[in-house]
Amino acid sequence: MRFLPALGLTAALGMTLAACGSSSSSSTTSTSSAPSAITIGTTYAGSGTYATSSIPELDGLKFWMTQENKKGGVYVGAYKKRIPVKLVDYNDLSSASTAATLYNQLITQDKVNILVADFGSVLTAPAVSLAEAHKVVLFDQTGTGIPFFTPQNKDIVLCDLPESDIWPDVLAQFLIAKGIKKVAIVYDTNDFDESQAVTLKSKLQAAGITPLVYEGVPTTTSSYTTILNSVAAKHPDAVLEFGYQPNDTAFLQNVQSSGQHFKMVFTVFPGQLLSLFQSQVGTAGLKYTYTYGTNLYINYPKVTEGLNSAQFKSQFSAAYPGQLNALSLAGYNTGLVIQGSLKNAKSLSQAAIRAGAQQLSGNLTTVDGKFQLNSEGAQVGELLPVAQLFPSSSGVTLHAVYPSSQATAKAVYPAP
């Protein structure tokens, strides 16, 4: 284990298996002798803004590793055998600058075979530039920011969610189909949230709908009271807020405390972290709220790799009681994409691993749905349905409401 005392991170750095750093190199090529282990390196947010999303994602990845190591390891096609998987994981404290230092350490010192990004676009961004500079494949879990995917960058694989400008496609269709024309959009000024706002605004304008409010706020925003007062004065028929989990929580809490009632409220993260939102916002603040549906709520009984929906929910819940959510599913799915890439790869060179991932595209169906990449390494196999939270005996229950092909309930609009 290597410490970074100059950064004061000795206590914060974690390594799941201490001996894994020297087992192989990120530039390893196929040889007659298989490595003793496949090393996977990642960072995670053990505290701070992104911890509530990052830790479940890491747990999902660890769950996949445990599943494979019970079988003797992950199957590596270049050696026609299973090889144990080991993890090097460092705590980036929800800091992009700390993450950058740690990603660099994973690449240049630990020399991991597989580099995995932390949760979200903010903590993925430093990994994108470093991986590209070192010609290392980056398995990008949930960093969906548009600038990451370019024709020049051949070293990124988006595993678990579609590119962020795709997210609001179905949401725009829903608003147009419902005839909702008086729309207010509030968004955080980061790659992930702003790209959604830009896409939604563009699609609405193409349908002749100009938002009454279109306002960007810093990602650090923790109070939306002033903004909500301004929005309410416009009398919108739908209020849509694009933020990370802490933003969405603050926004919904402020809506509730303000006493204002809107016909439709949409936020991004309740569909990913429903239990957390239930505890932070409560039933009264969540009922009839709209959000993105996720594949955690869609049943995939037949998969080409890994556990199906029922098996994953049961076995993950047994291993991590009370921790099941859409981000733990994302971490598990990242492992399945790595697994398929290593099965296809002709060697352990980074170019071969990337080619192995591309070979999966269109041929892999998991508990997270269809895996399909475009030419820039972005996931385009998923479209996120619009979902709504309905009061239930357990507090609130999420149902997909649009499109009809995925709907499990009828949308309630306007909200009572």
Side-chain angles (χ1 to χ4, degrees):
M1 180 171 180
R2 298 173 175 84
F3 297 105
L4 300 179
L7 292 175
L9 297 177
T10 301
L13 298 179
M15 183 180 292
T16 301
L17 290 169
C20 57
S22 60
S23 62
S24 55
S25 167
S26 61
S27 59
T28 302
T29 57
S30 181
T31 65
S32 57
S33 177
S36 60
I38 299 297
T39 56
I40 297 175
T42 191
T43 74
Y44 69 96
S47 60
T49 302
Y50 305 108
T52 53
S53 300
S54 177
I55 291 173
E57 197 169 73
L58 180 65
D59 288 344
L61 182 63
K62 288 180 177 178
F63 174 75
W64 166 77
M65 290 179 58
T66 300
Q67 294 276 309
E68 289 305 293
N69 281 336
K70 285 179 180 177
K71 304 171 188 174
V74 64
Y75 184 82
V76 181
Y79 300 104
K80 296 181 173 57
K81 63 179 291 188
R82 290 186 175 274
I83 300 175
V85 186
K86 295 183 178 181
L87 181 67
V88 188
D89 60 327
Y90 293 133
N91 185 354
D92 59 36
L93 308 172
S94 291
S95 164
S97 60
T98 301
T101 300
L102 298 176
Y103 286 132
N104 187 65
Q105 179 171 336
L106 289 167
I107 294 169
T108 63
Q109 297 182 44
D110 297 308
K111 300 185 184 300
V112 296
N113 298 108
I114 302 290
L115 181 66
V116 177
D118 195 355
F119 161 81
S121 296
V122 172
L123 297 177
T124 297
V128 175
S129 55
L130 282 165
E132 188 174 5
H134 288 276
K135 302 300 179 188
V136 170
V137 179
L138 177 64
F139 286 87
D140 173 0
Q141 302 197 86
T142 48
T144 59
I146 305 307
F148 302 164
F149 309 99
T150 66
Q152 293 74 37
N153 185 5
K154 303 297 184 184
D155 302 305
I156 190 167
V157 174
L158 180 56
C159 300
D160 309 316
L161 287 169
E163 208 173 5
S164 58
D165 65 338
I166 297 175
W167 285 44
D169 280 1
V170 178
L171 176 60
Q173 294 169 23
F174 174 78
L175 293 168
I176 294 165
K178 280 285 186 184
I180 300 172
K181 297 183 178 181
K182 297 169 65 178
V183 175
I185 299 172
V186 178
Y187 63 92
D188 287 2
T189 52
N190 58 64
D191 290 340
F192 170 64
D193 293 308
E194 189 165 2
S195 64
Q196 294 176 70
V198 168
T199 295
L200 182 61
K201 180 183 179 183
S202 174
K203 289 186 175 294
L204 292 178
Q205 287 180 329
I209 302 170
T210 299
L212 299 173
V213 177
Y214 185 77
E215 184 171 350
V217 300
T219 306
T220 54
T221 299
S222 59
S223 175
Y224 290 82
T225 301
T226 301
I227 298 167
L228 280 168
N229 289 335
S230 176
V231 167
K234 300 284 187 178
H235 304 291
D237 292 330
V239 180
L240 306 108
E241 182 267 334
F242 297 98
Y244 280 107
Q245 175 269 312
N247 309 107
D248 290 2
T249 296
F251 182 82
L252 291 171
Q253 288 173 337
N254 289 168
V255 170
Q256 186 178 13
S257 63
S258 72
Q260 294 160 347
H261 179 76
F262 300 106
K263 296 178 181 179
M264 174 181 176
V265 172
F266 174 96
T267 62
V268 175
F269 272 87
Q272 297 184 48
L273 298 166
L274 184 54
S275 295
L276 178 67
F277 276 84
Q278 179 74 65
S279 66
Q280 292 182 335
V281 180
T283 300
L286 286 177
K287 62 182 181 180
Y288 301 111
T289 295
Y290 290 79
T291 186
Y292 290 122
T294 68
N295 279 319
L296 182 66
Y297 302 97
I298 298 173
N299 183 35
Y300 288 96
K302 295 182 179 180
V303 297
T304 60
E305 202 76 63
L307 303 174
N308 66 23
S309 294
Q311 292 167 338
F312 171 74
K313 290 175 183 178
S314 172
Q315 294 183 35
F316 182 87
S317 295
Y320 295 87
Q323 302 303 310
L324 176 66
N325 59 43
L327 289 165
S328 52
L329 183 149
Y332 173 66
N333 189 66
T334 297
L336 296 178
V337 174
I338 293 169
Q339 177 179 321
S341 301
L342 289 172
K343 182 187 294 185
N344 292 337
K346 304 300 183 185
S347 74
L348 287 183
S349 73
Q350 293 296 298
I353 292 171
R354 178 63 174 82
Q358 190 64 51
Q359 190 177 334
L360 283 180
S361 179
N363 298 309
L364 177 66
T365 300
T366 72
V367 67
D368 200 38
K370 185 177 182 180
F371 177 76
Q372 187 169 343
L373 300 177
N374 66 13
S375 61
E376 298 173 353
Q379 166 68 262
V380 294
E382 300 175 27
L383 284 178
L384 297 173
V386 176
Q388 192 172 19
L389 300 172
F390 294 88
S392 69
S393 59
S394 60
V396 289
T397 300
L398 183 147
H399 285 285
V401 295
Y402 191 88
S404 58
S405 60
Q406 291 179 293
T408 56
K410 185 177 180 180
V412 175
Y413 178 88

